[in-house]
Amino acid sequence: MAKTLDKRIIGDFTAAGVDFVTSVPCKQLAGTIEVLDQTPAITHVPSNKEDEGMGLCAGAYMGGMRPAIFMQNTALGVVVNTLATLIQFYQIPLPMLISYRGEVGEPVACQVEMALHTKAILNQLHIPTYHFHTLADVEELPGILAHTQMCKKPVAILTDASFWRAAT
Amino acid sequence: MIRNDVLKTLLPIIRDELVVCNIGAPSQELHALDDQPTNFYMLGTMGLSSSIGFGLALAQDKPVISIDGDGSILTNMATLSTIANNPRDNFILLIIDNGSYGSTGDQPTYAGRKTSLAAVATACGCDHVVEVDAAQTAAAVKAALEARKMTIIVSKCDSGNVQVPVIDRNPIVIRERFMEAVEA
Ligand SMILES: [Mg+2]
């Protein structure tokens, strides 16, 4: 069931002009994805894998749309090459709303393994990274989305279990 | 006929169309044969020509032709289900199936053995899938453009490359030039 926070996040994306979103689901993003599908201003095309999704985003951007991708942090293990040789190499602005699994509150031990690598991979790729841990952190989202378009880079918004647990 | 021969037959048909071209030899050969601002050359990221072209077709109404290869489709095969389930009649996926990884020394792919990419595309739910011999490729692309129906074309040709230079254009120049052509 979508919460006020989910609606607020999607509202910020549409206000920033984002009109194309691809997603690979995560439990923490379920409400946000539900709101996506109820938002006529956004074309939502689910993808099977995040590198495929970034290809869709690159094409949509060149067609005049403003894309974003919703994904889980484990997928950073999939998309390193795509980020470097497509999104960064061709300078395509791409906000990545990332479910940051494996942080405090995580019930699945295996998720911690990729959580340990998440910020290291993003740092290695020089990707601007913002970590939403408390509910108030969401107030930064409009600024982050504007910053992404300005610098034409992939930008990571990590959203952890504490952030989602505080949602109403 | 090898890929470069097929591309030559396509030139009069695709010259003014939006083309997203696969990484490596396909982009290098197309660039050497007939560089156009309507061509987007992939310099990296094997497998995403289909997805980039499809994203472009979703975002605007001009026809888009993604030129892909058998090896690249095998790398990103699941995108055929994304394409099938979100059909766009301005999208044509041309898979040049030479049964080999052409850019890396013509090692055989599974598409050259037991795997049928046309059958895979059909099983994914693509409604218009045609498999043609290399010599019929240009006619198939022309027919798909005229029909304005999303079409997946598998062109069976021989393996082999021609010696052409790598593309040394700046990626941002390629992208901005292409985006101006999309908007024009
Ligand atoms: Mg091949």
Side-chain angles (χ1 to χ4, degrees), chain A residues 50 71-81 114 117-118 121:
Chain A
E50 297 75 4
M71 57 191 248
Q72 194 182 89
N73 59 323
T74 46
L76 288 168
V78 173
V79 295
V80 170
N81 176 55
M114 276 309 286
H117 299 294
T118 296
I121 292 170

Side-chain angles (χ1 to χ4, degrees), chain B residues 94-116:
Chain B
L94 170 60
I95 304 167
I96 300 195
D97 181 358
N98 60 3
S100 75
Y101 293 103
S103 301
T104 53
D106 275 329
Q107 299 88 349
T109 68
Y110 290 127
R113 293 168 67 185
K114 290 183 73 175
T115 303
S116 160

Side-chain angles (χ1 to χ4, degrees), chain A:
Chain A
M1 218 15 217
K3 297 181 172 175
T4 308
L5 177 64
D6 300 309
K7 290 177 190 143
R8 174 178 182 157
I9 288 171
I10 298 302
D12 286 345
F13 273 90
T14 51
V18 170
D19 51 4
F20 182 93
V21 175
T22 189
S23 68
V24 179
C26 173
K27 216 178 239 181
Q28 289 186 153
L29 295 174
T32 316
I33 291 170
E34 187 186 321
V35 179
L36 260 189
D37 282 325
Q38 298 159 354
T39 306
I42 292 178
T43 301
H44 175 216
V45 180
S47 46
N48 302 291
K49 222 172 173 187
E50 297 75 4
D51 52 349
E52 176 203 11
M54 289 185 183
L56 295 173
C57 287
Y61 177 69
M62 292 195 288
M65 294 185 96
R66 200 168 269 196
I69 186 167
F70 293 4
M71 57 191 248
Q72 194 182 89
N73 59 323
T74 46
L76 288 168
V78 173
V79 295
V80 170
N81 176 55
T82 305
L83 283 165
T85 67
L86 180 65
I87 305 300
Q88 291 179 322
F89 199 47
Y90 288 92
Q91 287 189 3
I92 292 166
L94 184 65
M96 302 183 285
L97 182 70
I98 301 174
S99 168
Y100 192 6
R101 295 292 303 270
E103 285 291 291
V104 173
E106 173 64 56
V108 180
C110 187
Q111 293 285 3
V112 180
E113 297 304 313
M114 276 309 286
L116 294 174
H117 299 294
T118 296
K119 287 186 176 174
I121 292 170
L122 291 165
N123 287 341
Q124 176 64 41
L125 290 171
H126 299 164
I127 289 177
T129 298
Y130 304 91
H131 180 172
F132 289 5
H133 178 62
T134 67
L135 206 46
D137 293 332
V138 77
E139 279 161 36
E140 283 187 57
L141 186 54
I144 294 167
L145 295 174
H147 186 69
T148 306
Q149 299 305 320
M150 181 279 295
C151 66
K152 292 193 172 67
K153 289 180 189 298
V155 169
I157 305 144
L158 299 172
T159 56
D160 69 20
S162 303
F163 173 74
W164 291 111
R165 204 174 41 234
T168 52

Side-chain angles (χ1 to χ4, degrees), chain B residues 125-181:
Chain B
C126 297
D127 289 323
H128 303 278
V129 181
V130 289
E131 183 171 301
V132 294
D133 289 331
Q136 269 79 57
T137 307
V141 172
K142 193 160 179 280
L145 281 168
E146 283 166 1
R148 267 239 160 209
K149 280 262 171 280
M150 186 171 86
T151 308
I152 317 299
I153 302 167
V154 181
S155 164
K156 301 292 272 186
C157 67
D158 299 320
S159 63
N161 310 301
V162 296
Q163 279 301 322
V164 286
V166 297
I167 300 171
D168 68 354
R169 275 179 188 277
N170 182 306
I172 295 146
V173 172
I174 292 174
R175 201 246 307 140
E176 287 185 341
R177 185 180 79 150
F178 184 69
M179 287 176 73
E180 281 165 23

